[in-house]
Amino acid sequence: MKTGTLATKLMLAAIFAAVFIYFGLSLAAYFANPFTTSQAYPYVSENAAAVSGYVVRSEQVLPGQAGELVYVSRSEGERVSAGGTVAQIYQSAQSLGDANTLRSLTEQLEQLLYAQSLTAGTQTELRLEEEVASSLTAFHSTLASGNLTAAANAGGNLRAAVLKRSYVYSGAEDLSAAVASLQAQIASLSAAGAGTQRVTAPQSGLFSGMVDGYESVLTLEAAAEMTPSQYKAIAPAPAEGLGRIVLGTRWAFVTLMSVRDMGRLQAGDTVTLRFQTGLDRDMTMKVTHISAEEAGQKVVTLESEEYLNLTTLLRRQNAQLIFDSYTGIRVPRAAVRLGEEPVTDEEGNPVLEADGTPRTRSITGVYCVWGTFARFKPVEVVWQEEDYMLVRPAEGTGESRRLRSGDTVIIAAVDLYDGKVING
């Protein structure tokens, strides 16, 4: 037993010594010839600041109370003309149920009449199959995007397409009987005439089904002259309604920024705003107001006339304020070197100094692996961070010396020069 234990210990000691020697030799080889490389690849870098703020619109709350029996006839962000019906308030659950049944029957009748107008045949079936496939794709896309309002509308279109296809395969007599039955049911429910109260839009605008109490607090007029003290005091007012109408075409985003993060931002500048949630796109905004400084902070107000219908549900938002965006080829900062190249005249002849030596000039570039050689490729620096730079090929560089995405860039090597034989 003791002999086995000793043999095991000796074997483990030998393995440990072998590993130690391997890493020691690797480390010694690195310091003797520290050859390291990295891949160059396209990259976009942004000069941005993280902010938090409020979406501001001109809004009017629609009258109504929570708990009422309401059917909203407009979708989120839908444009409504002045006096247009936005919703209907019902006197009882029975009248609301009858109205929903009437709407469903009316929809079915429209689908039946559509199917009845079609002539059975291969072309009709093919067209309906395409409509079902298109509706299914739209429903899947909107559902994946997380837009539940759009998904509900797409789901309704899909259901209608499937019903149309199924009706077409019914006989003409069956369709006629179904149409007559639906028309009778609709006439009966319409005659009952459940009492309703219409809610209409006081002005033309976009409908939103949300009321949050900021409608009277966050106005475009207030955002245009807000101070840091006023920003910190923002709080929703008591509010109740069936929704709101978003007026006009302008909307704003107001935020409180430290003077350090603002940089050289000035009123009149154009910047890019990117919300973290709620709206999956970049928006071009104009800086319309910068307040006086209070305790190292200023209120910044941005305005736009784009995508207003997509912001109707947004209020408190975390975002990125992007001042500049830079596109180039990303390389490690340590790989960018200062080299020299001969100066030539228009005919390609070398320019000489007074003492007869060739004139040279400094040039920025990177060394790349070119087969078994190191090749110097001139670049221009587009943007730089602490650990990397964005570069592009220097103007006038020949094809063989143009830096490209995918090139192997040399970060470290001993006595590196253009044309040096390397062993990567």
Side-chain angles (χ1 to χ4, degrees):
M1 188 70 177
K2 292 182 178 179
T3 303
T5 303
L6 178 61
T8 301
K9 290 182 177 179
L10 290 173
M11 183 176 65
L12 291 175
I15 293 173
F16 177 78
V19 171
F20 181 80
I21 292 171
Y22 171 78
F23 281 108
L25 291 174
S26 298
L27 191 61
Y30 172 79
F31 283 110
N33 183 19
F35 184 78
T36 56
T37 62
S38 178
Q39 291 291 115
Y41 56 92
Y43 194 76
V44 177
S45 186
E46 296 170 336
N47 179 19
V51 296
S52 178
Y54 297 90
V55 175
V56 182
R57 298 169 291 262
S58 179
E59 301 163 316
Q60 185 170 349
V61 176
L62 297 169
Q65 296 181 354
E68 289 184 314
L69 301 170
V70 179
Y71 171 77
V72 177
S73 56
R74 303 288 181 168
S75 59
E76 186 70 33
E78 181 179 350
R79 182 159 292 281
V80 185
S81 60
T85 300
V86 172
Q88 292 176 312
I89 302 175
Y90 293 87
Q91 297 176 351
S92 66
Q94 179 63 44
S95 61
L96 176 59
D98 289 345
N100 288 333
T101 301
L102 181 60
R103 278 185 282 269
S104 178
L105 293 175
T106 302
E107 181 181 348
Q108 292 179 44
L109 179 60
E110 291 175 354
Q111 294 159 2
L112 279 176
L113 292 174
Y114 174 83
Q116 197 175 43
S117 68
L118 297 174
T119 303
T122 304
Q123 293 298 322
T124 297
E125 295 174 9
L126 182 61
R127 185 173 65 185
L128 290 173
E129 290 290 348
E130 291 176 349
E131 185 177 345
V132 170
S134 176
S135 300
L136 181 60
T137 301
F139 176 65
H140 182 270
S141 177
T142 54
L143 197 61
S145 69
N147 189 334
L148 299 183
T149 300
N153 293 333
N157 294 335
L158 174 60
R159 184 173 62 253
V162 172
L163 289 174
K164 288 175 186 177
R165 184 183 62 177
S166 65
Y167 290 148
V168 146
Y169 295 126
S170 302
E173 293 183 359
D174 292 339
L175 277 175
S176 297
V179 167
S181 174
L182 283 174
Q183 288 174 334
Q185 294 178 64
I186 290 172
S188 176
L189 284 174
S190 299
T196 63
Q197 175 186 346
R198 293 172 61 243
V199 178
T200 59
Q203 300 181 53
S204 174
L206 304 175
F207 171 75
S208 175
M210 184 178 73
V211 176
D212 58 13
Y214 287 102
E215 292 80 9
S216 60
V217 176
L218 290 173
T219 64
L220 293 174
E221 292 75 20
E225 53 185 24
M226 188 172 291
T227 66
S229 299
Q230 292 170 335
Y231 181 93
K232 294 175 182 178
I234 291 175
E240 192 172 35
L242 298 181
R244 60 194 177 201
I245 295 295
V246 180
L247 308 174
T249 59
R250 292 186 302 133
W251 65 280
F253 181 74
V254 59
T255 181
L256 184 64
M257 297 184 67
S258 70
V259 175
R260 181 185 65 257
D261 291 340
M262 288 177 57
R264 292 177 294 177
L265 191 66
Q266 297 180 352
D269 288 349
T270 299
V271 297
T272 298
L273 183 68
R274 180 186 299 155
F275 290 143
Q276 289 187 1
T277 58
L279 190 57
D280 186 21
R281 66 189 66 197
D282 291 349
M283 295 157 288
T284 301
M285 309 287 290
K286 183 177 181 180
V287 181
T288 57
H289 166 68
I290 297 179
S291 72
E293 180 180 344
E294 292 182 14
Q297 295 178 310
K298 294 183 179 182
V299 171
V300 178
T301 302
L302 317 169
E303 286 195 9
S304 174
E305 293 190 357
E306 296 182 317
Y307 309 122
L308 176 62
N309 63 316
L310 302 180
T311 70
T312 55
L313 288 176
L314 306 182
R315 186 66 80 185
R316 187 68 186 264
Q317 290 289 120
N318 293 323
Q320 276 192 314
L321 200 57
I322 303 169
F323 306 115
D324 300 289
S325 179
Y326 304 93
T327 302
I329 299 176
R330 176 168 170 161
V331 296
R333 190 183 186 96
V336 180
R337 294 173 169 83
L338 192 63
E340 290 187 345
E341 68 174 3
V343 178
T344 58
D345 57 22
E346 296 179 355
E347 298 178 355
N349 299 315
V351 176
L352 303 179
E353 298 288 359
D355 60 1
T357 58
R359 180 180 299 176
T360 60
R361 63 183 175 189
S362 298
I363 184 170
T364 303
V366 296
Y367 286 96
C368 296
V369 176
W370 185 267
T372 58
F373 300 93
R375 171 155 289 187
F376 186 76
K377 296 191 174 185
V379 299
E380 297 174 0
V381 177
V382 177
W383 179 252
Q384 52 185 310
E385 291 286 352
E386 186 174 343
D387 58 344
Y388 72 89
M389 289 186 179
L390 291 186
V391 300
R392 60 178 172 230
E395 188 175 351
T397 304
E399 285 299 315
S400 64
R401 291 193 179 272
R402 287 180 65 84
L403 179 67
R404 292 178 173 82
S405 174
D407 280 352
T408 301
V409 177
I410 300 173
I411 301 174
V414 172
D415 192 24
L416 190 59
Y417 57 87
D418 190 45
K420 177 182 178 178
V421 177
I422 55 176
N423 294 313

